[in-house]
Each structure stands twice: as structure tokens, then as C-alpha cells.
Amino acid sequence: VIGAVRGAMGGVLFLDEAYALAGTDGENDGFSGEAVRTLLTEVENNRTSVMVILAGYRDKMSGLMRCDPGLPRRFPIELHLEDYDAEQLVRIAEKKAHESYNMCLAPDVNEALKAAFKTTYASEVPQHNGGLAVRLVDEAVSRFATRMGKEVQDGLDDAATTTKTSSTSAEIDTVGDEAKAAPVSVLTVRDFDLEDPFEA
């Protein structure tokens, strides 16, 4: 704690998920209690040298602020940021897919995800917010990899029954394709496990 505060001198110390300072489930054990008291001391001693921001989910932050009477006094300003709406969560998912995996979402995924955020995942949005969109993309990529692996294996099984001439032709075609730019992979509704079970 001391090192973090001293390292931020002249700037801002941003502590995300700061409620972890209060221990597990807000139960203040010896270590967490000492961490909170040290933080309060450092903030008081360096109040003109560093800005400290405690961030986290609203309900958990309320538990943190109750664990020591000095916290509300040292951190009297509270700013509540609204949860992302369904449209914003879809954009986060698109960005995650592109930046982390160089993938994009199929056209019908956007509306399916938006609807899911309002229904299937409605209770999770306040708890996980943007993290929910990131998790769903990670899970979709895992399903995509499994699906592609199965399709490749099925293709190899089919190829084993072809003639040598056909195999040679396929190999030549593959070499030709390698010279082309690799296409961006697409995550489908199936990858997000959002298929309508009643659809034929």
C-alpha cells in the first residue's frame, strides 16, 4: 500500500475493485484491516501530493466504506456511473472480438446479443457490466475453436477416402490460397449459444 501511494506521487492512484481491501465478503481480517489503516494514513499524510480514487461495484463499495469509519471522511465524494446498456455491451463485445482475436460478429449476432442482455443476462449486467460482454466473447471463441476443430477433422476424414489425384489437386489449391490474405473469422449466433431452440 505504501509503495503504491508513494509511486503515484504527483499524480493519481486508481484502485479498481478496491473493496478487496476489506477482505473476503467484507469481513475485515487482520491483514485487510491493516491495509485500510495504512491507506488512510498515507492519504492523510500526502493529501496535497496524490489523488486516490477507489473504484468498484456499488454494493461492494458500500461494504468497504463501512469497514472503517475513517474511509467516508477521507473519501467524501461519491460518483456513481450508470451500467452499460445493451447497445453499449454489444459494442464492447465487437471491440473485444476484433482487438483480442481479430474476429468479427455475424450480422445477426448483434440483435441476438442485445436481446440476450435484456433478458437472459439481465440479472448479470449490474454485477459484471462490461466484463459480461468480454466473458461472452471469450466463451464464443472457445466454441468457435471447438466447432472449427470438428469441421477440420471431418474434412480430413472425408479426404482420406478421395483418390491421390484429388488429394494432389486439393494441395495445389491450398498453396494457392495461402498466397491470399487470411479472411477475418466470424463469430456466429451458434458460437454465442444464442440459437433459437424453436427454429427449425
Side-chain angles (χ1 to χ4, degrees):
V1 174
I2 294 175
V5 174
R6 301 286 171 82
M9 288 297 178
V12 177
L13 175 60
F14 185 89
L15 298 177
D16 196 12
E17 299 184 352
Y19 41 78
L21 291 170
T24 306
D25 298 326
E27 295 181 4
N28 199 330
D29 55 30
F31 176 79
S32 59
E34 182 63 26
V36 170
R37 287 190 293 273
T38 300
L39 175 64
L40 291 172
T41 298
E42 290 298 310
V43 170
E44 176 64 25
N45 293 342
N46 302 284
R47 59 171 58 193
T48 62
S49 302
V50 62
M51 174 186 290
V52 179
I53 299 175
L54 307 181
Y57 294 113
R58 191 174 192 175
D59 55 341
K60 295 182 178 181
M61 289 301 293
S62 296
L64 169 64
M65 300 307 282
R66 290 194 300 270
C67 81
D68 190 293
L71 282 168
R73 292 198 299 270
R74 297 292 192 281
F75 298 90
I77 301 175
E78 179 180 332
L79 177 63
H80 177 62
L81 304 179
E82 294 297 326
D83 293 333
Y84 291 116
D85 60 29
E87 182 69 37
Q88 291 170 322
L89 289 171
V90 171
R91 291 203 294 271
I92 291 173
E94 289 178 317
K95 184 175 181 181
K96 171 65 177 179
H98 175 69
E99 293 186 352
S100 296
Y101 300 104
N102 192 31
M103 303 179 78
C104 65
L105 309 186
D108 57 341
V109 169
N110 285 23
E111 289 303 317
L113 262 183
K114 190 187 302 182
F117 284 132
K118 295 178 180 179
T119 55
T120 307
Y121 299 111
S123 62
E124 294 188 54
V125 171
Q127 300 175 30
H128 306 292
N129 214 2
L132 173 61
V134 171
R135 190 195 83 203
L136 293 181
V137 170
D138 289 337
E139 292 174 352
V141 170
S142 179
R143 294 190 192 96
F144 173 87
T146 300
R147 179 164 61 86
M148 288 297 101
K150 184 177 184 303
E151 291 182 7
V152 169
Q153 185 60 53
D154 290 344
L156 291 174
D157 292 342
D158 291 341
T161 64
T162 62
T163 64
K164 182 177 180 180
T165 302
S166 298
S167 298
T168 303
S169 176
E171 182 178 342
I172 293 173
D173 289 343
T174 300
V175 172
D177 289 341
E178 286 176 352
K180 303 175 184 178
V184 175
S185 298
V186 178
L187 293 173
T188 66
V189 170
R190 179 181 176 186
D191 296 320
F192 280 93
D193 198 24
L194 295 174
E195 290 179 304
D196 188 341
F198 297 104
E199 285 187 353

